Amino acid sequence: MGVTDAPWMLGVRAPDRGRAILVVTVDGELAVAVHDAVPGGMAVIRDARSEDADEITAACIPWPWMVIGSAVSLTPALASVLRHRPVLTYWLGDPAAGLPGHARYFDRPAALLDAVRRACVADVGGMRLAPGSGVELDDGTLMRGATLESLVAAYPHGFALPTHNFRAVSNALARHNAGWSAQRDGACVRLVRSHVGAAR
Amino acid sequence: MRANPEVLILEDDAETLDELQDHFARRRFHPLGARSASRALSLLENNRYSSRPVLAIIDWDLGKAPDRSASSGDVLSRLARELRECPVIVYSQNIDAFNVRSQIQRSHPRALLHDKRDGDASLLERIDRMLDRTVGDLRIHDGTVVVHLPSLDQHHHREAIRLVVHHPEIVTFHSDTATKAVRRFGEWLHTHNSAVRLVSHGNRKYRLSVTASEGAAQPSDEA
């Protein structure tokens, strides 16, 4: 078999700036299913176990775009990232303690995989995830930024995080006259149409 | 001057390895063949500063390898860490087993999987589909040139080939020479009024994008 004797060298632990879906499970079966569900080139699937979830989280630069988990507890570094960063959080089965308020829960793998697919192909007023990283506008402009990628993919949902996390995105959207901004709507901050700018 | 692009092949069966090497040599690639993982690691190390393979073909099961001091997982991990932009095809008799797929994807999260039970011909067909790619109005010819189909003009540079092979994914380039070559390719696309344009993601990361009218008809392939 091809299994390496040096787990600390595994490619899944290598730092990478590409869009990443971190899947933390006991055996990797869900990660394989997620791999099959995600359109080619859209994101890298990082298949983690509890024992290496913190290292792999740190290798996702700046942070994982999406975290999927099942039947595991949150590790300290992962819990910290989920508390402070806009990370799409999907959980299968019983919720782990410490998940953020914007986490989404699924009883069946099929429903979770469908949500993953929809996040990958989200289209918010012409803003779509570009392959690998960034958000493409209708006119071909590429906007970089992990927070904007998260907001587009989460739409119409948002993130239960402080508003200051999203100021840079709102400023960038205003500069591009995108017609959208990140605004608080109840407990969450999400994308909403802005009154100024040319709505696309 | 240009060198033919290298392809790394790790296959423990001597006959299959010869067949794969012949296939790539006929297509004007330079095959770097190895029957053991340790030999493949040496080839990667020896070519580290001179070239970077445009493709790697890795047999996951190395039961016939003459040397078992390293595993295919070690090679995949090295490729994932040091040659992330190199497309990798991993094939195995047990590719359907989720634990094998999980082990492969933990070694190399971007690896493409192929079922060895489909036979060598199936693997070669798949490789050819990758290397004879058409992206918008561009096509790779003989693994060594990118042809702009409307004008039949050719662009000879391995970094251009790498971008076309990798479409729509982002490719990271690791030297000033490579990024200059990529920018020249971008200018070449522009002057040829190509339907394909070069998109910069910063930090030496680039990808190709096909304009919407052309792109709608394009498979975003790698089958």
Side-chain angles (χ1 to χ4, degrees):
Chain A
M1 291 301 290
V3 181
T4 180
D5 291 330
W8 58 91
M9 289 298 293
L10 284 168
V12 73
R13 294 184 180 210
D16 190 327
R17 289 189 167 275
R19 186 181 298 125
I21 300 177
L22 174 61
V23 187
V24 192
T25 59
V26 174
D27 58 12
E29 185 168 10
L30 183 59
V32 168
V34 170
H35 195 276
D36 288 343
V38 171
M42 192 52 73
V44 172
I45 293 37
R46 291 180 177 250
D47 179 359
R49 306 287 176 269
S50 289
E51 57 267 27
D52 55 18
D54 279 351
E55 288 83 355
I56 298 174
T57 300
C60 300
I61 302 170
W63 55 75
W65 171 67
M66 178 184 285
V67 168
I68 298 170
S70 179
V72 293
S73 303
L74 286 187
T75 52
L78 179 56
S80 174
V81 166
L82 295 183
R83 263 199 314 275
H84 296 109
R85 302 296 185 188
V87 179
L88 294 145
T89 307
Y90 293 179
W91 214 261
L92 179 66
D94 294 336
L99 287 170
H102 52 259
R104 296 178 60 191
Y105 303 99
F106 301 86
D107 293 330
R108 296 176 299 112
L112 184 148
L113 296 173
D114 191 45
V116 172
R117 272 185 221 103
R118 278 188 273 114
C120 290
V121 298
D123 185 333
V124 183
M127 294 186 285
R128 293 175 298 275
L129 299 180
S133 74
V135 169
E136 264 178 347
L137 307 186
D138 264 346
D139 63 3
T141 303
L142 178 73
M143 293 180 70
R144 294 185 214 144
T147 302
L148 179 58
E149 291 182 34
S150 298
L151 284 165
V152 168
Y155 186 83
H157 305 288
F159 296 93
L161 293 171
T163 308
H164 65 75
N165 288 41
F166 303 93
R167 278 190 197 126
V169 164
S170 287
N171 291 340
L173 289 171
R175 276 198 306 276
H176 284 86
N177 204 25
W180 292 81
S181 66
Q183 292 181 21
R184 181 160 297 282
D185 180 9
C188 287
V189 176
R190 67 184 189 93
L191 285 174
V192 297
R193 282 191 185 277
S194 56
H195 298 296
V196 294
R200 290 165 189 259
Chain B
M1 276 301 288
R2 63 189 162 80
N4 288 359
E6 288 92 350
V7 175
L8 177 72
I9 308 167
L10 172 55
E11 165 59 61
D12 60 342
D13 181 76
E15 194 176 324
T16 307
L17 179 61
D18 283 346
E19 188 182 340
L20 288 168
Q21 292 196 111
D22 288 347
H23 182 79
F24 282 106
R26 279 197 302 277
R27 295 180 52 109
R28 302 186 194 178
F29 286 86
H30 179 59
L32 303 170
R35 285 192 59 207
S36 70
S38 55
R39 172 69 181 146
L41 290 169
S42 296
L43 287 169
L44 287 174
E45 188 65 30
N46 294 341
N47 285 274
R48 194 174 188 175
Y49 300 108
S50 58
S51 64
R52 305 170 78 86
V54 295
L55 178 66
I57 313 292
I58 307 293
D59 183 4
W60 178 251
D61 317 299
L62 297 177
K64 298 182 197 168
D67 170 0
R68 309 272 189 93
S69 59
S71 68
S72 48
D74 293 325
V75 178
L76 288 173
S77 295
R78 173 74 70 89
L79 287 166
R81 284 180 173 275
E82 297 180 7
L83 286 165
R84 195 167 54 231
E85 75 284 2
C86 174
V88 175
I89 295 178
V90 185
Y91 59 105
S92 166
Q93 299 275 7
N94 304 304
I95 211 78
D96 288 342
F98 87 80
N99 60 325
V100 170
R101 290 188 58 182
S102 178
Q103 286 160 1
I104 292 171
Q105 285 162 8
R106 277 171 60 80
S107 298
H108 195 308
R110 297 174 194 270
L112 305 168
L113 309 179
H114 195 84
D115 193 336
K116 200 170 190 175
R117 293 167 299 186
D118 291 339
D120 296 343
S122 159
L123 177 65
L124 293 174
E125 277 172 24
R126 184 174 187 185
I127 291 166
D128 287 349
R129 278 203 304 276
M130 282 182 77
L131 296 178
D132 282 338
R133 289 198 66 182
T134 299
V135 174
D137 53 9
L138 305 178
R139 184 178 177 90
I140 298 176
H141 179 65
D142 270 350
T144 54
V145 295
V146 176
V147 181
H148 177 242
L149 293 171
S151 65
L152 297 182
D153 280 356
Q154 299 180 348
H155 189 92
H156 298 252
H157 205 288
R158 76 176 77 196
E159 309 304 356
I161 293 163
R162 199 185 302 279
L163 278 164
V164 176
V165 167
H166 237 70
H167 173 79
E169 296 198 20
I170 296 170
V171 182
T172 305
F173 295 91
H174 295 271
S175 69
D176 288 341
T177 308
T179 50
K180 280 178 192 165
V182 169
R183 285 197 292 271
R184 280 198 302 274
F185 180 50
E187 288 160 12
W188 184 83
L189 293 172
H190 184 69
T191 57
H192 283 77
N193 203 22
S194 172
V196 180
R197 67 189 177 92
L198 182 70
V199 179
S200 168
H201 283 248
N203 296 318
R204 291 180 170 170
K205 294 176 188 294
Y206 296 87
R207 69 179 168 88
L208 295 179
S209 174
V210 184
T211 52
S213 55
E214 296 285 333
Q218 296 304 316
S220 65
D221 40 332
E222 205 323 79

